[in-house]
Amino acid sequence: MEISRIAVVGGSIGGLTTALLLRDAGFEVDVYERSTKPLSGFGTGIVVQPELVKYLVERTDTELDAISVPSSKMRYTDAHTGVELGTVDAAWRFTSYDGIYRRLHEVFGNERYHLGKTVVGIGQSADHVELRFADGTDAGADFVVAADGGSSVIRQRLVGRKSDYAGYVTWRGLVSPGAIDQSAWDYFDDAFTYGLLSDGHLIAYPIPPRDGDAGRRLNFQWYWNVPDGAQLDELMTDCNGIRLPTSVHAHHLCVRQRTTLDTRADELAQPFAELVHAAENAFVTIVSDADVDATVYGRIALLGDAAITPRPHAAAGAAKAANDAWTLADALSSKPEHRVESLAEWERTQLAVGRAYLAKVRQMAGRLQTGGDFPPGEPAFRFGLPKIGEPVSVGQP
């Protein structure tokens, strides 16, 4: 399989990592991003996994301390009563979507990062792939990497697969220094905190400051069980009356939705209630997941959430995409006569890792969203990608 020019569809963390690795390997790479402006994760937090930061740490002058902050423990609390259920020593680092994305984008540059390119169609022949965009333009390549997320248009065009609603949503928000009492701030500042509930859960942890600002921020997510149908439709309808498919961001959030968030927060223990009430630009996102039978279709490969879409509970979704990128770059760097076999092996490994991770986060959700037993420090629920062959059942050492 001869390949010189590669198109990456989707310019987020997974797509940029892929593009950088393939460019380093000697390929001519273009990134096509549907957004009309550089992406923003609205400041949302990410737990640092080795795969996530590997490119920046190994191939740029980026210092880990410049893009992340540490914590020393994990705390488990009944979020209604405030009763502590356990604390374990656990050193993690946390970053933000914006911090990782901006640095990767800066390294890749703007010349071949094409904004406003929404894919509506794709076709391929024995030696070529054609992309068709909503703006009426086309682009050709020898190989296409679909890194266009859990709502991947390319996955839908290839196999008709959309992500499945998991039965719950997540509210996300950020809190700046001084916005809550110091005692509440100190409670969350040096920990990854689980706030466990009978019908969902919260998580909270520190993330780095915005560029130019001083001081860490606090990031939280609150997962609500919401039945599919009218109740979900109402929650996901924006201030213009449009039912959005994935997220309702702060600038489109109805007053009613924010009021509902604050009213429910009144039922939480004091530090959690303060955190939610003080949230800047809170927004709500549907939780969904998806599996696929294959990730390589001739000269097209699905990567990250566009392949297997996981739920977020093991804090390694972006790391999974980055891991896909590293291993795909290795496969495509094979000699032309071996690329088909290398891609087939990459697909087998990618599917194994993705499915093991999907099983892990579904198991975590089964406990976290129903008030089930969630033991502090349980090894099966440790953050990160699973090692293939390791059991995911609770209680295994």
Side-chain angles (χ1 to χ4, degrees), residues 95-182:
T95 186
S96 68
Y97 175 92
D98 293 342
I100 297 293
Y101 167 78
R102 279 198 302 267
R103 185 68 184 112
L104 290 170
H105 190 194
E106 177 185 330
V107 176
F108 186 75
N110 289 319
E111 183 179 357
R112 306 194 75 158
Y113 188 91
H114 310 285
L115 292 167
K117 294 296 181 181
T118 300
V119 171
V120 295
I122 188 169
Q124 67 174 311
S125 62
D127 57 3
H128 186 75
V129 185
E130 190 76 17
L131 294 169
R132 298 182 290 277
F133 301 106
D135 64 3
T137 62
D138 301 332
D142 303 318
F143 194 87
V144 167
V145 180
D148 52 340
S151 57
S152 171
V153 171
I154 293 181
R155 184 176 68 190
Q156 292 181 39
R157 295 294 181 272
L158 291 174
V159 295
R161 185 69 169 98
K162 297 182 179 180
S163 295
D164 301 316
Y165 178 51
Y168 54 104
V169 302
T170 179
W171 283 93
R172 305 192 71 150
L174 292 170
V175 176
S176 296
I180 59 177
D181 288 344
Q182 190 62 45

XYZ file of all heavy atoms in Angstrom, residues 95-182:
674
model
N -4.649 18.312 34.075
C -4.449 19.370 33.112
C -5.815 19.829 32.621
O -6.853 19.439 33.158
C -3.544 18.894 31.955
O -3.254 19.996 31.084
C -4.185 17.770 31.161
N -5.834 20.666 31.597
C -7.093 21.099 30.996
C -7.056 20.778 29.514
O -5.985 20.704 28.899
C -7.316 22.600 31.195
O -6.376 23.360 30.444
N -8.236 20.610 28.949
C -8.316 20.382 27.502
C -7.618 21.510 26.752
O -6.828 21.282 25.834
C -9.777 20.286 27.064
C -9.928 20.173 25.556
C -9.993 18.935 24.937
C -9.965 21.310 24.748
C -10.095 18.829 23.558
C -10.066 21.215 23.377
C -10.127 19.973 22.782
O -10.208 19.877 21.416
N -7.921 22.742 27.142
C -7.373 23.886 26.423
C -5.852 23.898 26.442
O -5.205 24.218 25.441
C -7.915 25.185 27.017
C -9.409 25.358 26.798
O -9.960 24.667 25.916
O -10.023 26.168 27.504
N -5.260 23.556 27.602
C -3.813 23.572 27.708
C -3.142 22.568 26.787
O -2.139 22.876 26.127
N -3.680 21.344 26.718
C -3.107 20.311 25.849
C -3.358 20.639 24.386
O -2.450 20.574 23.541
C -3.696 18.932 26.191
C -3.334 18.532 27.617
C -3.205 17.877 25.201
C -1.865 18.272 27.854
N -4.589 21.011 24.056
C -4.931 21.314 22.662
C -4.088 22.462 22.125
O -3.533 22.378 21.014
C -6.413 21.634 22.543
C -6.768 22.256 21.211
C -6.900 21.477 20.061
C -6.933 23.643 21.082
C -7.197 22.053 18.825
C -7.230 24.219 19.867
C -7.354 23.414 18.739
O -7.634 23.998 17.527
N -4.003 23.556 22.880
C -3.272 24.726 22.387
C -1.808 24.404 22.106
O -1.236 24.855 21.118
C -3.376 25.881 23.391
C -4.665 26.659 23.310
C -4.534 28.015 23.986
N -4.140 27.891 25.387
C -4.998 27.835 26.395
N -6.288 27.873 26.160
N -4.568 27.738 27.636
N -1.199 23.605 22.991
C 0.212 23.281 22.799
C 0.403 22.395 21.576
O 1.324 22.612 20.776
C 0.770 22.594 24.055
C 2.253 22.332 24.005
C 3.039 23.633 24.051
N 4.466 23.375 23.910
C 5.205 23.730 22.865
N 4.655 24.397 21.861
N 6.480 23.450 22.826
N -0.443 21.385 21.391
C -0.349 20.535 20.197
C -0.586 21.345 18.928
O 0.113 21.176 17.924
C -1.363 19.390 20.293
C -1.090 18.311 21.341
C -2.311 17.400 21.478
C 0.139 17.483 20.989
N -1.586 22.229 18.971
C -1.892 23.059 17.807
C -0.724 23.987 17.473
O -0.368 24.178 16.299
C -3.154 23.866 18.097
C -3.700 24.584 16.907
N -4.655 25.573 17.014
C -3.436 24.482 15.588
C -4.962 26.035 15.822
N -4.225 25.393 14.927
N -0.123 24.542 18.496
C 1.023 25.419 18.296
C 2.163 24.684 17.611
O 2.813 25.210 16.689
C 1.476 25.971 19.649
C 2.714 26.847 19.610
C 3.165 27.249 21.006
O 2.303 27.356 21.903
O 4.374 27.431 21.209
N 2.420 23.441 18.035
C 3.513 22.657 17.454
C 3.192 22.281 16.007
O 4.060 22.326 15.123
C 3.789 21.400 18.295
C 4.860 20.523 17.637
C 4.241 21.792 19.700
N 1.929 21.920 15.723
C 1.564 21.534 14.364
C 1.540 22.734 13.424
O 1.947 22.644 12.260
C 0.199 20.833 14.340
C -0.169 20.284 12.995
C 0.433 19.128 12.509
C -1.101 20.925 12.187
C 0.115 18.622 11.254
C -1.431 20.426 10.937
C -0.816 19.275 10.467
N 1.049 23.866 13.907
C 0.975 25.069 13.086
C -0.340 25.199 12.351
O -1.181 24.285 12.347
N -0.526 26.340 11.706
C -1.790 26.653 11.040
C -1.814 26.330 9.551
O -2.890 26.238 8.958
C -2.106 28.146 11.211
C -2.484 28.494 12.637
O -3.215 27.755 13.288
N -1.966 29.619 13.124
N -0.633 26.180 8.940
C -0.578 26.090 7.487
C -1.408 24.943 6.933
O -2.093 25.084 5.912
C 0.872 25.963 7.031
C 1.035 25.923 5.517
C 2.484 25.820 5.072
O 3.378 25.837 5.934
O 2.707 25.701 3.852
N -1.370 23.802 7.600
C -2.090 22.627 7.084
C -3.176 22.168 8.063
O -3.604 21.027 8.041
C -1.102 21.498 6.779
C 0.017 21.968 5.840
C 0.801 20.847 5.246
N 0.033 20.187 4.197
C 0.595 19.457 3.226
N 1.916 19.320 3.170
N -0.149 18.862 2.313
N -3.606 23.098 8.901
C -4.714 22.868 9.821
C -5.889 23.673 9.279
O -5.938 24.895 9.398
C -4.343 23.328 11.230
C -5.339 22.978 12.309
C -5.228 21.785 13.025
C -6.383 23.841 12.640
C -6.129 21.472 14.032
C -7.286 23.538 13.644
C -7.156 22.346 14.339
O -8.054 22.033 15.339
N -6.848 22.994 8.654
C -7.906 23.651 7.884
C -9.194 23.713 8.707
O -9.792 22.682 9.019
C -8.157 22.893 6.586
C -6.903 22.609 5.805
N -6.231 23.576 5.089
C -6.186 21.456 5.655
C -5.168 23.046 4.512
N -5.114 21.757 4.843
N -9.620 24.914 9.048
C -10.846 25.120 9.815
C -12.058 25.221 8.891
O -11.931 25.505 7.700
C -10.726 26.391 10.645
C -9.708 26.355 11.793
C -9.464 27.758 12.328
C -10.172 25.422 12.902
N -13.238 25.004 9.465
C -14.478 25.133 8.704
C -14.675 24.041 7.675
O -15.348 24.256 6.666
N -14.129 22.844 7.936
C -14.215 21.740 6.987
C -15.049 20.601 7.585
O -14.529 19.708 8.254
C -12.820 21.238 6.613
C -11.990 22.257 5.839
C -12.623 22.569 4.483
C -11.802 23.553 3.687
N -12.420 23.870 2.382
N -16.347 20.674 7.351
C -17.267 19.654 7.841
C -17.445 18.575 6.782
O -17.946 18.844 5.682
C -18.638 20.272 8.174
O -18.468 21.258 9.177
C -19.606 19.202 8.656
N -17.052 17.356 7.103
C -17.186 16.249 6.155
C -18.651 15.848 6.031
O -19.335 15.642 7.031
C -16.345 15.042 6.601
C -16.647 13.821 5.737
C -14.855 15.371 6.535
N -19.120 15.746 4.795
C -20.471 15.247 4.555
C -20.460 13.943 3.763
O -21.446 13.208 3.765
C -21.335 16.290 3.819
C -21.556 17.516 4.691
C -20.715 16.685 2.484
N -19.343 13.654 3.099
C -19.267 12.427 2.313
C -17.833 11.980 2.134
O -16.890 12.767 2.237
N -17.665 10.692 1.869
C -16.341 10.112 1.686
C -16.446 8.955 0.704
O -17.446 8.220 0.692
C -15.747 9.647 3.039
C -14.286 9.225 2.887
C -16.598 8.552 3.680
C -13.576 9.024 4.225
N -15.452 8.806 -0.126
C -15.411 7.693 -1.062
C -13.972 7.270 -1.282
O -13.036 8.054 -1.097
N -13.776 6.024 -1.664
C -12.418 5.565 -1.894
C -12.367 4.580 -3.051
O -13.343 3.896 -3.360
C -11.813 4.943 -0.636
C -12.451 3.630 -0.175
C -11.688 3.019 1.000
O -10.466 2.891 0.961
N -12.425 2.650 2.047
N -11.191 4.547 -3.667
C -10.879 3.565 -4.701
C -9.714 2.731 -4.192
O -9.352 2.804 -3.018
C -10.504 4.280 -6.000
O -9.332 5.070 -5.811
N -9.127 1.940 -5.059
C -8.033 1.073 -4.640
C -6.823 1.848 -4.146
O -6.061 1.354 -3.307
C -7.616 0.157 -5.801
N -6.623 3.079 -4.644
C -5.412 3.810 -4.280
C -5.658 5.257 -3.886
O -4.722 6.061 -3.827
C -4.412 3.777 -5.442
C -4.988 4.349 -6.737
O -6.147 4.830 -6.714
O -4.289 4.309 -7.757
N -6.924 5.624 -3.566
C -7.210 7.037 -3.295
C -8.461 7.155 -2.424
O -9.359 6.320 -2.495
C -7.429 7.781 -4.622
C -7.601 9.258 -4.482
N -6.551 10.104 -4.217
C -8.716 10.036 -4.592
C -6.999 11.348 -4.168
N -8.300 11.338 -4.397
N -8.496 8.222 -1.588
C -9.682 8.531 -0.788
C -10.089 9.969 -1.073
O -9.236 10.867 -1.134
C -9.420 8.368 0.721
C -10.715 8.580 1.508
C -8.839 6.998 1.034
N -11.370 10.190 -1.258
C -11.894 11.519 -1.537
C -12.801 11.959 -0.399
O -13.709 11.239 0.024
C -12.703 11.505 -2.839
C -13.095 12.882 -3.346
C -11.930 13.629 -3.995
O -10.913 12.991 -4.350
O -12.053 14.851 -4.134
N -12.552 13.174 0.141
C -13.376 13.775 1.177
C -14.219 14.884 0.560
O -13.704 15.705 -0.207
C -12.512 14.361 2.289
C -11.701 13.371 3.129
C -10.696 14.118 3.990
C -12.617 12.514 3.997
N -15.502 14.919 0.921
C -16.403 15.954 0.427
C -16.901 16.774 1.622
O -17.382 16.210 2.605
C -17.568 15.334 -0.348
C -17.109 14.554 -1.586
C -18.286 13.992 -2.371
N -18.966 12.897 -1.669
C -18.562 11.625 -1.695
N -17.468 11.287 -2.370
N -19.248 10.700 -1.054
N -16.757 18.098 1.505
C -17.055 18.981 2.624
C -18.321 19.797 2.381
O -18.728 20.037 1.237
C -15.877 19.931 2.879
C -14.591 19.227 3.194
C -13.576 19.159 2.254
C -14.396 18.622 4.423
C -12.383 18.511 2.537
C -13.208 17.972 4.721
C -12.198 17.913 3.774
N -18.921 20.247 3.479
C -20.176 20.995 3.404
C -20.028 22.309 2.655
O -20.998 22.818 2.095
C -20.700 21.264 4.815
N -18.813 22.871 2.637
C -18.614 24.152 1.963
C -18.456 24.017 0.454
O -18.176 24.992 -0.251
C -17.411 24.889 2.551
C -16.091 24.149 2.338
O -16.085 23.081 1.681
O -15.059 24.640 2.832
N -18.627 22.809 -0.069
C -18.563 22.582 -1.504
C -17.203 22.189 -2.029
O -17.060 21.889 -3.219
N -16.210 22.145 -1.157
C -14.868 21.759 -1.581
C -14.651 20.265 -1.372
O -15.394 19.606 -0.639
C -13.787 22.539 -0.813
O -13.898 22.231 0.594
C -13.954 24.034 -1.019
N -13.615 19.744 -2.028
C -13.203 18.354 -1.886
C -11.720 18.316 -1.547
O -10.983 19.281 -1.761
C -13.420 17.569 -3.188
C -14.872 17.558 -3.648
O -15.768 17.655 -2.783
O -15.091 17.466 -4.870
N -11.276 17.187 -1.013
C -9.851 16.979 -0.763
C -9.538 15.512 -0.977
O -10.347 14.635 -0.621
C -9.472 17.412 0.647
N -8.387 15.236 -1.540
C -7.976 13.860 -1.771
C -6.758 13.503 -0.949
O -5.968 14.363 -0.544
N -6.598 12.213 -0.680
C -5.450 11.719 0.071
C -5.236 10.250 -0.260
O -6.122 9.584 -0.812
C -5.666 11.906 1.575
N -4.069 9.752 0.097
C -3.789 8.331 -0.068
C -4.360 7.512 1.091
O -4.567 6.299 0.957
C -2.273 8.097 -0.125
C -1.607 8.890 -1.231
O -2.172 8.947 -2.335
O -0.526 9.460 -0.975
N -4.573 8.195 2.228
C -5.072 7.510 3.421
C -5.784 8.546 4.277
O -5.371 9.713 4.326
C -3.916 6.885 4.203
C -4.329 5.881 5.244
C -4.513 4.543 4.897
C -4.531 6.251 6.563
C -4.896 3.601 5.857
C -4.912 5.329 7.522
C -5.091 3.995 7.166
N -6.868 8.142 4.941
C -7.635 9.040 5.808
C -7.720 8.449 7.211
O -8.017 7.262 7.381
C -9.050 9.285 5.255
C -9.942 9.957 6.293
C -8.989 10.154 3.995
N -7.460 9.296 8.198
C -7.650 8.931 9.601
C -8.861 9.700 10.110
O -8.872 10.935 10.110
C -6.414 9.268 10.457
C -6.668 8.878 11.915
C -5.172 8.572 9.916
N -9.882 8.979 10.540
C -11.087 9.601 11.099
C -10.899 9.759 12.599
O -10.928 8.784 13.351
C -12.313 8.745 10.809
N -10.669 10.998 13.021
C -10.524 11.315 14.439
C -11.582 12.349 14.813
O -11.315 13.296 15.553
C -9.123 11.839 14.724
N -12.789 12.154 14.293
C -13.849 13.152 14.425
C -14.841 12.835 15.537
O -16.001 13.244 15.502
C -14.570 13.373 13.095
C -15.066 12.097 12.427
O -14.567 11.011 12.756
O -15.946 12.200 11.551
N -14.385 12.121 16.568
C -15.130 12.021 17.814
C -16.256 11.013 17.840
O -16.505 10.277 16.890
N -16.952 11.006 18.991
C -17.998 10.020 19.219
C -19.196 10.163 18.302
O -19.968 9.209 18.144
N -19.379 11.339 17.707
C -20.450 11.525 16.723
C -19.889 11.499 15.310
O -20.424 12.150 14.406
C -21.177 12.849 16.978
O -20.270 13.940 16.948
N -18.833 10.732 15.110
C -18.094 10.673 13.846
C -18.991 10.526 12.619
O -19.749 9.569 12.483
C -17.119 9.490 13.890
O -16.538 9.267 12.624
N -18.872 11.502 11.709
C -19.589 11.421 10.443
C -19.017 10.290 9.597
O -19.764 9.553 8.919
C -19.507 12.761 9.687
C -20.053 12.625 8.265
C -20.272 13.839 10.442
N -17.707 10.128 9.626
C -17.091 9.093 8.796
C -17.521 7.701 9.259
O -17.832 6.835 8.436
C -15.561 9.241 8.795
C -15.189 10.540 8.084
C -14.898 8.043 8.115
C -13.713 10.801 7.986
N -17.582 7.480 10.566
C -18.063 6.181 11.062
C -19.500 5.940 10.616
O -19.862 4.826 10.206
C -17.963 6.125 12.588
C -18.365 4.771 13.182
C -18.142 4.748 14.689
N -19.041 5.637 15.397
C -18.929 5.942 16.691
N -17.941 5.434 17.403
N -19.796 6.757 17.261
N -20.313 6.975 10.664
C -21.699 6.825 10.214
C -21.776 6.506 8.728
O -22.585 5.685 8.304
C -22.475 8.102 10.526
C -22.694 8.352 12.009
C -23.484 9.625 12.269
O -24.409 9.951 11.556
N -23.095 10.360 13.303
N -20.937 7.163 7.919
C -20.959 6.906 6.483
C -20.463 5.495 6.166
O -20.969 4.834 5.249
C -20.083 7.924 5.745
C -20.560 9.365 5.828
C -21.889 9.567 5.110
N -22.313 10.972 5.198
C -23.039 11.471 6.189
N -23.452 10.680 7.175
N -23.375 12.751 6.201
N -19.491 5.013 6.916
C -18.921 3.692 6.633
C -19.812 2.556 7.118
O -20.025 1.585 6.391
C -17.540 3.568 7.283
C -16.409 4.427 6.696
C -15.160 4.284 7.553
C -16.105 4.003 5.257
N -20.301 2.667 8.356
C -21.021 1.530 8.948
C -22.359 1.905 9.575
O -23.035 1.059 10.165
C -20.141 0.820 10.004
C -18.924 0.205 9.354
C -19.711 1.774 11.122
N -22.754 3.187 9.482
C -24.036 3.601 10.032
C -24.112 3.572 11.531
O -25.208 3.507 12.105
N -22.956 3.648 12.213
C -22.926 3.506 13.673
C -22.907 4.860 14.372
O -22.032 5.689 14.135
C -21.680 2.711 14.089
C -21.600 2.386 15.585
C -22.662 1.376 15.963
N -22.471 0.847 17.308
C -23.121 1.302 18.388
N -23.970 2.304 18.278
N -22.908 0.756 19.570
N -23.905 5.092 15.224
C -23.920 6.251 16.103
C -23.707 5.790 17.539
O -23.937 4.627 17.873
C -25.251 6.994 15.991
C -25.541 7.576 14.615
C -26.861 8.332 14.620
C -27.159 8.934 13.249
N -28.443 9.675 13.248
N -23.274 6.702 18.390
C -23.112 6.357 19.800
C -24.481 6.192 20.454
O -25.457 6.846 20.066
C -22.316 7.439 20.527
O -20.997 7.520 20.029
N -24.545 5.328 21.476
C -25.788 5.037 22.185
C -25.840 5.819 23.497
O -24.864 5.836 24.266
C -25.875 3.543 22.497
C -25.818 2.691 21.245
O -26.488 3.034 20.260
O -25.080 1.677 21.246
N -26.976 6.447 23.761
C -27.162 7.161 25.022
C -27.047 6.182 26.187
O -27.661 5.111 26.193
C -28.521 7.850 25.020
C -28.858 8.579 26.299
C -27.972 9.490 26.862
C -30.073 8.360 26.939
C -28.288 10.168 28.023
C -30.410 9.034 28.100
C -29.503 9.947 28.649
O -29.818 10.609 29.801
N -26.258 6.557 27.203
C -25.970 5.663 28.322
C -26.985 5.780 29.454
O -26.887 5.038 30.442
C -24.563 5.934 28.856
N -27.921 6.716 29.343
C -28.941 6.852 30.383
C -28.655 7.960 31.377
O -29.393 8.137 32.347
N -27.580 8.719 31.162
C -27.266 9.810 32.089
C -26.465 10.887 31.377
O -25.938 10.691 30.282
C -26.543 9.305 33.336
C -25.287 8.489 33.099
C -24.027 9.051 33.294
C -25.350 7.149 32.716
C -22.869 8.308 33.101
C -24.203 6.400 32.536
C -22.964 6.983 32.728
O -21.820 6.250 32.535
N -26.422 12.059 32.008
C -25.717 13.219 31.465
C -24.682 13.665 32.492
O -24.677 13.204 33.641
C -26.679 14.384 31.164
C -27.769 13.945 30.188
C -27.303 14.940 32.455
N -23.803 14.564 32.074
C -22.855 15.136 33.022
C -22.871 16.653 32.920
O -22.828 17.221 31.823
C -21.421 14.605 32.796
O -20.535 15.229 33.735
C -20.921 14.859 31.389
N -22.976 17.294 34.071
C -22.781 18.737 34.189
C -21.315 18.994 34.481
O -20.714 18.310 35.313
C -23.620 19.299 35.327
C -25.074 19.453 35.020
C -26.069 18.540 35.267
C -25.705 20.588 34.426
N -27.271 19.033 34.864
C -27.087 20.304 34.349
C -25.241 21.815 33.961
C -27.999 21.204 33.815
C -26.143 22.718 33.436
C -27.515 22.409 33.361
N -20.738 19.997 33.811
C -19.350 20.354 34.049
C -19.266 21.830 34.396
O -20.028 22.651 33.874
C -18.482 20.067 32.831
C -18.580 18.634 32.354
C -17.508 18.285 31.344
N -16.197 18.195 31.983
C -15.213 17.394 31.563
N -15.387 16.631 30.497
N -14.059 17.363 32.188
N -18.316 22.168 35.266
C -18.134 23.567 35.634
C -16.761 23.812 36.212
O -16.060 22.873 36.622
N -16.365 25.071 36.251
C -15.078 25.502 36.783
C -15.299 26.534 37.875
O -16.239 27.332 37.816
C -14.217 26.124 35.678
C -13.707 25.192 34.594
C -13.083 26.001 33.470
C -12.679 24.228 35.172
N -14.401 26.527 38.853
C -14.468 27.486 39.956
C -13.093 28.116 40.119
O -12.082 27.412 40.199
C -14.912 26.796 41.261
C -14.874 27.780 42.424
C -16.309 26.206 41.104
N -13.050 29.438 40.171
C -11.801 30.175 40.311
C -11.492 30.459 41.778
O -12.396 30.454 42.629
C -11.884 31.502 39.551
O -12.026 31.288 38.172
N -10.232 30.716 42.100
C -9.865 31.058 43.488
C -10.683 32.238 44.000
O -10.930 33.200 43.271
C -8.384 31.413 43.372
C -7.895 30.700 42.165
C -9.048 30.700 41.209
N -11.128 32.127 45.256
C -11.898 33.198 45.862
C -13.387 33.098 45.660
O -14.147 33.857 46.283
N -13.833 32.192 44.809
C -15.262 32.089 44.517
C -16.017 31.296 45.575
O -17.247 31.378 45.648
C -15.485 31.460 43.146
N -15.318 30.499 46.364
C -15.931 29.736 47.450
C -15.111 29.942 48.717
O -13.981 30.435 48.671
C -16.030 28.226 47.120
C -14.637 27.628 46.835
C -16.956 27.998 45.935
C -14.660 26.133 46.570
N -15.683 29.572 49.859
C -14.974 29.708 51.125
C -13.651 28.953 51.087
O -13.544 27.899 50.445
C -15.821 29.167 52.274
C -17.004 30.080 52.602
O -16.987 31.245 52.164
O -17.938 29.591 53.274
N -12.667 29.454 51.819
C -11.355 28.822 51.811
C -11.410 27.385 52.313
O -10.690 26.521 51.815
C -10.380 29.629 52.680
C -8.928 29.206 52.554
C -8.394 29.380 51.140
O -8.639 30.414 50.512
N -7.670 28.383 50.639
